[in-house]
Amino acid sequence: MRTGSRVLLVLLALLLPVWGSVAAAHNGDLTVRPTCKPGFSDEDYTAFVSQNIVEGQKLLKVKFNNCAGNKGVRYETNSLDFKVRADGTMYAAHQVQMPLKQQILMVTAWDPQTLGRWDAIVRLLVAEKSQHNGHKPKGRKTVPGEPAQQQSDTLLPWRQHQSSNGLRRQKRDWVIPPINVPENSRGPFPQQLVRIRSDKDKEIHIRYSITGVGADQPPMEVFSIDPVSGRMYVTRPMDREERASYHLRAHAVDMNGNKVENPIDLYIYVIDMNDNRPEFINQVYNGSVDEGSKPGTYVMTVTANDADDSTTANGMVRYRIVTQTPQSPSQNMFTINSETGDIVTVAAGLDREKVQQYIVIVQATDMEGNLNYGLSNTATAIITVTDVNDNPPEFTTSTYSGEVPENRVEVVVANLTVMDRDQPHSPNWNAIYRIISGDPSGHFTIRTDPVTNEGMVTVVKAVDYEMNRAFMLTVMVSNQAPLASGIQMSFQSTAGVTISVTDVNEAPYFPTNRKLIRLEEGVPTGTVLTTFSAVDPDRFMQQAVRYSKLSDPANWLNINATNGQITTAAVLDRESDYIKNNVYEATFLAADNGIPPASGTGTLQIYLIDINDNAPELLPKEAQICEKPNLNVINITAADADIDPNVGPFVFELPSVPSAVRKNWTITRLNGDYAQLSLRITYLEAGVYDVPIIVTDSGNPPLYNTSIIKVKVCPCDENGDCTTIGAVAAAGLGTGAIIAILICIIILLTMVLLFVVWMKRREKERHTKQLLIDPEDDVRDNILKYDEEGGGEEDQDYDLSQLQQPETMDHVLNKTPGVRRVDERPIGAEPQYPIRPVIPHPGDIGDFINEGLRAADNDPTAPPYDSLLVFDYEGSGSTAGSVSSLNSSSSGDQDYDYLNDWGPRFKKLADMYGGGEED
């Protein structure tokens, strides 16, 4: 060791022999397997570069294989300064000035088809211009062409070189090889891993420390270092499945905490051990395969994952089938791909009708399936044999029979039963029935019962016994799904169905229903119109048909009960309200004498041809006109109940008698339907005039009618409208009549006013004399009717016997004389007093009141103030004393003078009782 060197880090590998053997196995001692595993060719790449890198400069080439020709594989880096081409060549994206002695990059390969991602580490080391040798750690690749340095137990991370002229070159940090630590080590702990030492420890005291995950970051204190000697230890067993690698930094400082050396990166990798069994994603897998499938048909895939390293035999899982239940028709119906877990059929003979389900136990073993060293786990694969339509439906019998009454529809006449060995209620089992022959008119259809799969022969079109007495049908059955390839239809898939038709009594029917006949109105009574007869469809039954009327609104027709001949019972009038659009409609009933009897209806329509049997009527019936001519005219027309040609054009004319009509009036023809009536003379006195007008129609023969039109002649204003006075005068009311009407109105208003005054006076008298009321509303009767409201909680416990008449009178007879309750009836003989009237006399009210007052004063049994002291029991426990001992008589030993001291409220009592002796 040179004394002039500034820094020397000694890395001592003090690993156990077993670690060395594991590392050797990890570095490639295992036998190469032909199985392709996607990933980089190495996990760590190293390249020496200059401090100044130009744009586009190639640095190194990484090798990656995705086991599919690397089609579509993309590369990425975690740095914007460097990129990777599709062939794996890393280059500088632009000019780069390397700031450090080394730079560590992460290269990621991404397969867009499988969405898999793989990572590799690339270390770029800055090489000095005069350096020709580089260090190549074990397990890493360097740039081709650079020789590798001999590996030794002592590593010099910071080397110092002196040139020939005595100048010192700048130091360069070495890359420390990763430290491999096997997981699940049994100790003892702590176990030494490496020793880190600086050559300055001879000059000054140095303290060593480590930082990073596993040291001073969670998980804490997995690794420790002796601060004096620099020996680094692992403190507990490692678990690769928990964390596969650690990145630590080693530091060297003096006693004052000043940095002596630059920090060194330490990479610690946990070596995998086979400590995890394969775990199936599901304990039970469900799959299916069609029956009759050929060998090699895919069924399902089972998958097991191993937490160990998948790049080693510890995580390489292989599958095999352990058992198959049932073992029919062969014990090896299925096989499994040992690497992918795909289960396929290996033998023919799958038949759902024999075996519907197989249970297969699958075992997954790591260590590439080595049962001696690998760990295993099992899962259950349930394989369901799905149904295919390999069994055609077959009728249970070759012939079926049924019976149906004629004229019935939606009737099931026969049930067809079939047998199908395919899976029930599936398209391979559901039956579809067809009628091949025997029903050209489509009277029948066959519907499938969804529960029983039976065919129900149903009548959809009524059959006629007189036309067909029986049907011979040929039916065929098939499945909803087509038959599987190579399966032929069975001869038992066709059958015959015999259907007998039974005769029933059918109703007679009118061959021409809604029969229409045409004739002129006004035919005389008894005229034969037509014969409306019905036909009985029961040709094989001897039955008689009888006719009757069902509907004849105007009662114009009669029908012969035996032959259906229609005659008139009255004159048919086209202008009747029973005629709609010139048609009269009647309904008749035809009934046979079958058992049970049946009947049918028929409608007869009579179209009535119009004849000129209605004279025209003048319109309007009333009009008004001015008393002077040439101011206005009256437009007149006519209405005729007949129809063309027995209506207009009309002829309007004035009669010759009386002569004053033609003298005062004239008619001017406008057209065939309208004319104008106007004054002929220059002035006609105001009033109402009846003007006769003769109106004649155009019928053959023509009919005429003399109609009266009431014309009001009145004075008119300049616009030709009647004035108000003129209208009254025209109505025929003189001045005297108008005055009489006004007087009547005044008298009526006076009577109404007098009635209102009388009602007000009566209301006032009723309020003044309030005793004049209905006896049922008398307060003396109603004052005793009230509810008991109680006296609170203290009044809930009371003796109701106090309100009843006692059975014995001892307690009353033993009372002190002169002291008793005034509301108790006295014991002993009572004097007879006049009976008090109950109902007030409708006469003198004053006499009634005085008489009642005298009776109350002279009745010792009555309490004071009439009956106002009679009240219900209101409870016991009152704090006030009883007032029942007060005597209504003023005579006695009581002194009532103290009532004068009680105030004005008791003045009346003081006057009644206190002043008796003074009088």
Side-chain angles (χ1 to χ4, degrees):
M1 207 186 331
R2 270 181 234 167
T3 59
S5 64
R6 294 183 55 193
V7 178
L8 177 64
L9 287 179
V10 179
L11 184 63
L12 302 177
L14 301 176
L15 303 178
L16 296 176
V18 63
W19 293 3
S21 62
V22 172
H26 183 65
N27 291 334
D29 291 344
L30 295 178
T31 304
V32 178
R33 294 175 297 275
T35 303
C36 179
K37 292 294 183 179
F40 285 95
S41 61
D42 205 333
E43 297 179 355
D44 205 333
Y45 295 87
T46 303
F48 292 97
V49 297
S50 61
Q51 190 170 6
N52 295 321
I53 304 176
V54 299
E55 182 179 357
Q57 179 179 344
K58 297 181 181 179
L59 305 179
L60 80 163
K61 185 174 184 180
V62 296
K63 294 182 179 180
F64 175 79
N65 185 12
N66 68 344
C67 301
N70 289 352
K71 183 178 182 180
V73 174
R74 302 177 183 177
Y75 297 94
E76 300 174 354
T77 67
N78 61 348
S79 174
L80 298 176
D81 299 333
F82 305 97
K83 294 184 179 180
V84 181
R85 294 190 177 95
D87 60 351
T89 301
M90 176 180 286
Y91 65 97
H94 51 80
Q95 185 175 357
V96 179
Q97 180 75 23
M98 296 293 289
L100 302 175
K101 300 300 181 180
Q102 67 172 346
Q103 185 171 354
I104 301 176
L105 306 177
M106 182 70 71
V107 177
T108 302
W110 176 54
D111 190 345
Q113 297 180 354
T114 62
L115 302 181
R117 301 179 71 91
W118 296 265
D119 298 327
I121 297 175
V122 175
R123 304 175 188 273
L124 301 180
L125 305 181
V126 178
E128 297 183 4
K129 295 182 180 179
S130 61
Q131 182 178 351
H132 300 285
N133 295 333
H135 174 71
K136 178 180 178 183
K138 187 176 182 180
R140 288 171 175 78
K141 292 186 178 180
T142 59
V143 177
E146 294 184 359
Q149 181 182 350
Q150 296 291 332
Q151 183 176 1
S152 64
D153 293 339
T154 302
L155 301 178
L156 302 177
W158 300 282
R159 295 180 61 88
Q160 295 178 355
H161 298 273
Q162 190 169 358
S163 61
S164 58
N165 56 7
L167 296 178
R168 223 177 245 185
R169 291 184 180 178
Q170 188 177 2
K171 65 180 179 180
R172 178 179 61 83
D173 293 345
W174 279 22
V175 178
I176 306 302
I179 304 170
N180 296 325
V181 181
E183 64 174 335
N184 302 326
S185 174
R186 297 184 179 181
F189 295 99
Q191 289 182 346
Q192 182 174 338
L193 297 180
V194 294
R195 181 184 180 188
I196 301 174
R197 179 176 171 273
S198 173
D199 58 354
K200 287 188 177 183
D201 59 357
K202 296 179 180 180
E203 302 172 3
I204 59 175
H205 294 286
I206 296 179
R207 291 293 180 263
Y208 302 97
S209 64
I210 56 174
T211 59
V213 176
D216 60 344
Q217 299 178 19
M220 307 285 286
E221 299 180 354
V222 177
F223 303 97
S224 64
I225 189 170
D226 188 328
V228 176
S229 64
R231 289 184 174 86
M232 183 175 170
Y233 301 92
V234 58
T235 62
R236 60 191 181 194
M238 310 292 287
D239 187 356
R240 192 201 68 85
E241 288 72 38
E242 180 180 348
R243 189 175 184 87
S245 64
Y246 295 87
H247 178 201
L248 303 177
R249 304 200 78 183
H251 304 270
V253 297
D254 59 13
M255 299 301 292
N256 295 325
N258 298 320
K259 183 175 68 172
V260 177
E261 304 289 353
N262 291 330
I264 299 177
D265 291 323
L266 299 177
Y267 293 92
I268 302 173
Y269 293 99
V270 182
I271 304 303
D272 182 47
M273 295 294 183
N274 190 20
D275 57 344
N276 291 278
R277 293 179 180 273
E279 296 290 340
F280 283 95
I281 298 178
N282 301 310
Q283 282 301 312
V284 178
Y285 290 84
N286 291 283
S288 62
V289 62
D290 291 340
E291 61 175 329
S293 296
K294 297 179 180 180
T297 302
Y298 172 81
V299 180
M300 64 167 66
T301 299
V302 297
T303 303
N305 296 325
D306 196 316
D308 293 324
D309 189 359
S310 60
T311 62
T312 66
N314 299 334
M316 295 181 179
V317 180
R318 298 294 182 265
Y319 304 91
R320 73 186 187 93
I321 293 178
V322 180
T323 60
Q324 167 196 308
T325 306
Q327 298 180 357
S328 174
S330 171
Q331 62 180 358
N332 295 318
M333 296 297 296
F334 306 95
T335 185
I336 187 170
N337 188 307
S338 62
E339 295 185 4
T340 63
D342 294 340
I343 299 178
V344 297
T345 59
V346 71
L350 291 173
D351 190 351
R352 191 203 66 86
E353 286 72 36
K354 294 180 180 179
V355 178
Q356 298 183 2
Q357 190 179 80
Y358 290 91
I359 298 178
V360 177
I361 305 299
V362 180
Q363 184 182 60
T365 306
D366 58 14
M367 297 300 292
E368 297 184 286
N370 190 325
L371 299 177
N372 295 325
Y373 304 102
L375 302 178
S376 301
N377 214 336
T378 59
T380 302
I382 301 176
I383 302 174
T384 302
V385 182
T386 57
D387 183 45
V388 298
N389 194 13
D390 57 347
N391 295 283
E394 298 177 350
F395 286 103
T396 57
T397 182
S398 59
T399 58
Y400 298 88
S401 62
E403 186 178 79
V404 58
E406 64 174 335
N407 301 324
R408 295 282 299 277
V409 294
E410 298 301 327
V411 177
V412 178
V413 298
N415 289 332
L416 313 180
T417 57
V418 296
M419 180 184 65
D420 196 322
R421 292 187 295 273
D422 291 321
Q423 184 176 356
H425 305 289
S426 67
N428 301 327
W429 179 82
N430 296 335
I432 298 177
Y433 300 87
R434 292 186 296 115
I435 298 176
I436 300 176
S437 62
D439 185 22
S441 300
H443 292 283
F444 304 95
T445 188
I446 304 178
R447 298 167 181 167
T448 304
D449 189 320
V451 178
T452 63
N453 213 28
E454 294 181 354
M456 300 177 293
V457 182
T458 307
V459 181
V460 293
K461 182 179 178 181
V463 296
D464 189 356
Y465 176 82
E466 286 72 25
M467 299 294 295
N468 295 289
R469 299 187 181 183
F471 292 87
M472 298 294 295
L473 307 180
T474 302
V475 298
M476 183 178 69
V477 62
S478 59
N479 289 125
Q480 185 177 349
L483 290 175
S485 177
I487 306 300
Q488 300 295 328
M489 184 66 70
S490 173
F491 71 93
Q492 295 180 351
S493 297
T494 58
V497 182
T498 302
I499 301 175
S500 300
V501 182
T502 58
D503 191 15
V504 297
N505 184 26
E506 301 176 76
Y509 67 93
F510 291 88
T512 307
N513 206 347
R514 289 193 177 272
K515 183 177 182 180
L516 178 65
I517 60 174
R518 301 170 64 91
L519 70 152
E520 289 185 349
E521 62 174 330
V523 295
T525 303
T527 303
V528 177
L529 301 182
T530 184
T531 299
F532 197 29
S533 59
V535 176
D536 192 347
D538 297 317
R539 294 178 297 173
F540 302 100
M541 297 182 184
Q542 301 299 325
Q543 298 178 148
V545 179
R546 305 278 300 177
Y547 302 93
S548 60
K549 286 196 303 180
L550 188 62
S551 173
D552 184 10
N555 201 22
W556 286 346
L557 306 175
N558 288 327
I559 186 169
N560 189 295
T562 57
N563 58 16
Q565 189 179 68
I566 307 295
T567 58
T568 59
V571 177
L572 278 62
D573 185 8
R574 193 200 65 83
E575 289 75 31
S576 172
D577 294 337
Y578 299 104
I579 301 298
K580 304 297 180 184
N581 298 325
N582 302 327
V583 176
Y584 180 73
E585 191 170 275
T587 306
F588 299 93
L589 183 69
D592 60 19
N593 57 351
I595 301 175
S599 61
T601 60
T603 301
L604 178 65
Q605 293 180 331
I606 304 175
Y607 186 90
L608 296 177
I609 302 173
D610 183 45
I611 62 174
N612 194 17
D613 56 348
N614 293 279
E617 292 287 338
L618 182 68
L619 294 176
K621 298 296 184 182
E622 296 181 356
Q624 66 180 18
I625 195 172
C626 295
E627 58 187 4
K628 295 181 180 180
N630 299 328
L631 291 179
N632 55 10
V633 296
I634 300 173
N635 292 324
I636 58 176
T637 185
D640 198 326
D642 294 323
I643 60 175
D644 192 66
N646 298 319
V647 289
F650 300 103
V651 177
F652 302 91
E653 56 184 349
L654 297 173
S656 57
V657 178
S659 59
V661 175
R662 292 193 175 184
K663 176 182 177 182
N664 297 335
W665 306 92
T666 181
I667 293 179
T668 303
R669 181 183 178 88
L670 295 178
N671 53 38
D673 294 331
Y674 291 92
Q676 287 183 344
L677 175 65
S678 60
L679 287 173
R680 180 185 293 274
I681 60 178
T682 59
Y683 174 78
L684 184 62
E685 184 181 357
V688 178
Y689 297 89
D690 292 337
V691 181
I693 298 177
I694 301 174
V695 185
T696 306
D697 61 19
S698 299
N700 186 17
L703 296 180
Y704 68 91
N705 181 29
T706 300
S707 300
I708 303 298
I709 179 172
K710 289 184 177 295
V711 180
K712 295 180 182 180
V713 180
C714 60
C716 297
D717 54 17
E718 62 276 5
N719 296 324
D721 299 327
C722 285
T723 61
T724 304
I725 299 177
V728 174
L733 296 178
T735 305
I738 295 174
I739 294 174
I741 292 174
L742 294 176
I743 293 174
C744 291
I745 293 174
I746 294 173
I747 293 174
L748 181 60
L749 294 176
T750 304
M751 292 177 63
V752 172
L753 180 62
L754 291 175
F755 179 76
V756 172
V757 172
W758 179 76
M759 289 296 294
K760 293 288 186 180
R761 184 180 181 85
R762 184 179 178 185
E763 182 71 18
K764 183 176 181 182
E765 291 177 353
R766 189 170 66 85
H767 286 291
T768 304
K769 298 180 179 181
Q770 296 185 357
L771 291 178
L772 293 176
I773 57 178
D774 194 339
E776 295 182 357
D777 297 331
D778 194 349
V779 301
R780 291 172 297 178
D781 292 338
N782 294 337
I783 198 67
L784 298 178
K785 299 178 182 178
Y786 53 83
D787 294 333
E788 179 185 21
E789 298 180 355
E793 296 180 355
E794 296 181 355
D795 293 340
Q796 299 302 318
D797 186 12
Y798 51 80
D799 187 8
L800 294 178
S801 64
Q802 299 296 328
L803 303 178
Q804 301 176 353
Q805 181 69 25
E807 298 180 358
T808 62
M809 302 300 173
D810 296 339
H811 67 287
V812 179
L813 296 176
N814 296 331
K815 284 185 177 180
T816 306
V819 179
R820 67 179 182 86
R821 292 179 56 175
V822 296
D823 56 350
E824 292 182 350
R825 189 178 184 85
I827 306 302
E830 298 180 0
Q832 298 296 326
Y833 297 98
I835 301 175
R836 299 171 59 184
V838 177
I839 303 176
H841 194 274
D844 190 358
I845 300 301
D847 295 340
F848 167 75
I849 295 175
N850 292 330
E851 183 179 357
L853 182 59
R854 286 194 302 271
D857 291 340
N858 297 325
D859 186 2
T861 62
Y865 302 95
D866 204 2
S867 60
L868 293 179
L869 294 180
V870 178
F871 51 86
D872 285 346
Y873 181 78
E874 296 185 354
S876 61
S878 175
T879 57
S882 175
V883 297
S884 61
S885 61
L886 295 177
N887 198 329
S888 62
S889 175
S890 61
S891 62
D893 298 334
Q894 298 289 336
D895 185 8
Y896 298 102
D897 291 338
Y898 59 85
L899 294 175
N900 293 319
D901 300 333
W902 286 10
R905 293 179 179 273
F906 295 91
K907 187 177 184 302
K908 186 64 176 178
L909 290 175
D911 294 342
M912 293 175 58
Y913 294 95
E917 295 180 358
E918 296 177 1
D919 296 340

